[in-house]
Amino acid sequence: MDYELSDEQQQIREEVRRFAENEIRPVAKEYDREEKAPLDLIEKGAEMGLTGAQIPIEYGGAGYDTLDVALVVEELYAADPGIGGSILGTAFGSEAIIAFGSDDQKERWLPDLAAGDAICGSAISEPHAGSDVASISTRAEKDGDEWVINGNKMWITNGSIGDFFVVLCKTDPDAEGRYNGFSQIVVESDRDGFESDKITGKMGIRASDTAELIFDDVRVPEENLVGTRGAGFLQQMQFFDETRTQVAAQGVGIAKGAAERALEYAQEREQFGKPIGDFQAIQHKLADMHTEAEAARQLTYKSAWSVDHKDEQLTMLASMAKEYASRIAVRNANECVQIHGGSGYVDDFDAERLYRDAKITQIYEGTTEIQKNIIARELQGKGM
């Protein structure tokens, strides 16, 4: 197996790392405190092609594969998860349009996303439906040549700043089978009956916009249906291997950021007449943090490679990577605070912010418990 990144991938990593260090880290505390979306940094990220990283070149994107995107995610999240997620998440939901959208839909929506001129979101979760996606109740009924949508979506990334959303709806409530009868429909945020309510007071990733969406007789044209009517749930499931791999990369980035900051602090902070990094207790923490971050990185890279090469172990690897990397992110962030001591408990240093940010990686795109269920299911050869 070749573990060496290509020259192009090395260049991508270095450029993104410089951007993250120079543009993101100096202002991360400000955006976290104010819980505001970093629109100016999104614009700068767009100039580097980061807002359209996974969008095909023919629509103005960078056309990166899954491993390329994972490298970008890692570097941005090592600097600041909230801002990094905001930049990369501007095209969240476009996967459905890329994979299942018509040529007209791709030409209509993808170029603006790639250029950073538009922001989209994926609207799946509801107040009562998180892990159990098939229990969503948002309805879309056909009325002539329009869809009429009613319902609520919860915890939606870009919810109060998005220009449009790919919304998972129940379009055929009488369809047989628990996973049938769902469709994905694009809803523009300027439609009558659409409202968003920004969610504040989040534990972490506060720079990343999150909101509740309300659909009250929202009408959209029938051509906003993405792909085949009734196949929305199965379409959505095809993205989880990719999106969970990217959450694993988020975890790797946080684990890396925490390990680097802990090492830096341990070399600077002195107690009993010498740097605390000279004490074996701290040395063991640093050794574990860097070792486990590297283990999470290799598992994530393998999962990314498997997405790009359609490996048969893909689903299990994606869940393994997501579960493990998120666990190490939380563990390293915790140890980073511990090494900083009292200084890690206030926002003078990045340690406490990474500690708060890390936890979400164990929740979204499928909780830790769901990932373990999937791994066990795949090991036993059982279907969905």
Side-chain angles (χ1 to χ4, degrees):
M1 182 178 291
D2 185 1
Y3 284 93
E4 187 175 3
L5 297 176
S6 68
D7 291 342
E8 181 181 358
Q9 288 171 328
Q10 292 279 15
Q11 183 178 0
I12 291 171
R13 167 178 275 174
E14 291 303 319
E15 288 180 355
V16 175
R17 182 176 297 168
R18 283 194 295 270
F19 174 78
E21 288 293 320
N22 295 332
E23 302 290 345
I24 295 178
R25 283 194 65 176
V27 297
K29 184 190 299 185
E30 171 192 346
Y31 283 100
D32 176 75
R33 282 178 171 175
E34 298 184 13
E35 299 189 50
K36 65 179 182 179
L39 298 180
D40 57 334
L41 290 174
I42 289 174
E43 184 176 341
K44 291 180 179 180
E47 295 173 0
M48 292 185 61
L50 300 180
T51 55
Q54 78 276 24
I55 293 175
I57 294 174
E58 58 265 36
Y59 297 105
Y64 288 165
D65 63 20
T66 309
L67 180 54
D68 295 336
V69 175
L71 298 174
V72 173
V73 170
E74 180 180 337
E75 294 302 328
L76 292 181
Y77 272 69
D80 183 71
I83 295 176
S86 295
I87 294 171
L88 290 173
T90 56
F92 185 46
S94 66
E95 299 88 355
I97 298 172
I98 294 170
F100 304 110
S102 65
D103 290 341
D104 178 69
Q105 289 173 336
K106 293 175 184 178
E107 293 170 1
R108 183 175 163 193
W109 288 308
L110 296 182
D112 283 346
L113 292 176
D117 294 332
I119 295 173
C120 74
S122 177
I124 302 174
S125 295
E126 299 184 357
H128 69 281
S131 296
D132 186 9
V133 176
S135 69
I136 66 165
S137 59
T138 296
R139 296 286 185 91
E141 298 180 353
K142 198 72 179 299
D143 182 20
D145 58 357
E146 293 181 316
W147 292 101
V148 182
I149 302 172
N150 285 280
N152 292 57
K153 294 293 183 179
M154 195 68 174
W155 313 116
I156 306 306
T157 299
N158 300 327
S160 71
I161 61 174
D163 297 288
F164 62 90
F165 299 88
V166 180
V167 183
L168 186 65
C169 308
K170 191 78 170 177
T171 51
D172 301 280
D174 297 326
E176 294 184 4
R178 192 164 190 268
Y179 305 109
N180 297 322
F182 299 92
S183 300
Q184 298 189 90
I185 300 174
V186 175
V187 179
E188 297 90 344
S189 59
D190 60 358
R191 297 279 177 181
D192 290 340
F194 175 92
E195 293 182 27
S196 64
D197 185 12
K198 181 178 173 65
I199 296 170
T200 59
K202 292 186 301 183
M203 177 180 178
I205 58 168
R206 292 179 175 176
S208 177
D209 184 80
T210 310
E212 178 181 9
L213 306 184
I214 301 99
F215 304 90
D216 183 9
D217 285 337
V218 177
R219 289 178 174 270
V220 299
E222 60 183 352
E223 57 263 29
N224 280 25
L225 174 71
V226 179
T228 304
R229 174 175 176 169
F233 182 91
L234 299 178
Q235 291 171 355
Q236 192 60 237
M237 293 302 106
Q238 294 184 41
F239 299 122
F240 278 132
D241 292 332
E242 179 178 353
T243 56
R244 285 170 178 162
T245 299
Q246 299 310 337
V247 174
Q250 295 176 15
V252 173
I254 295 171
K256 164 185 156 74
E260 290 176 345
R261 287 165 174 82
L263 176 60
E264 180 181 344
Y265 187 80
Q267 293 172 326
E268 294 177 351
R269 171 69 169 171
E270 291 190 359
Q271 289 290 276
F272 305 101
K274 58 183 178 180
I276 62 173
D278 287 353
F279 294 103
Q280 190 179 63
I282 302 299
Q283 291 175 346
H284 285 185
K285 288 181 183 295
L286 295 171
D288 286 345
M289 292 171 74
H290 284 79
T291 299
E292 291 175 341
E294 182 62 25
R297 178 179 294 112
Q298 295 305 319
L299 183 55
T300 298
Y301 287 6
K302 183 175 182 180
S303 180
W305 182 92
S306 296
V307 170
D308 293 330
H309 292 81
K310 310 301 181 185
D311 186 84
E312 63 181 12
Q313 296 185 52
L314 170 58
T315 296
M316 184 167 66
L317 275 172
S319 288
M320 285 179 169
K322 200 271 188 188
E323 191 284 320
Y324 184 72
S326 63
R327 180 171 13 128
I328 298 309
V330 170
R331 184 180 299 172
N332 273 14
N334 178 65
E335 290 287 48
C336 183
V337 171
Q338 191 69 22
I339 289 173
H340 279 72
S343 296
Y345 204 69
V346 294
D347 66 1
D348 293 341
F349 292 86
D350 293 345
E352 65 86 30
R353 191 175 68 252
L354 289 174
Y355 183 80
R356 291 186 285 106
D357 290 342
K359 187 60 185 177
I360 192 60
T361 62
Q362 292 188 308
I363 298 173
Y364 59 19
E365 291 302 304
T367 64
T368 292
E369 293 75 16
I370 290 294
Q371 302 316 308
K372 290 183 177 182
N373 288 348
I374 292 170
I375 296 166
R377 182 193 74 199
E378 293 295 313
L379 288 170
Q380 297 178 79
K382 297 179 180 179
M384 183 164 51

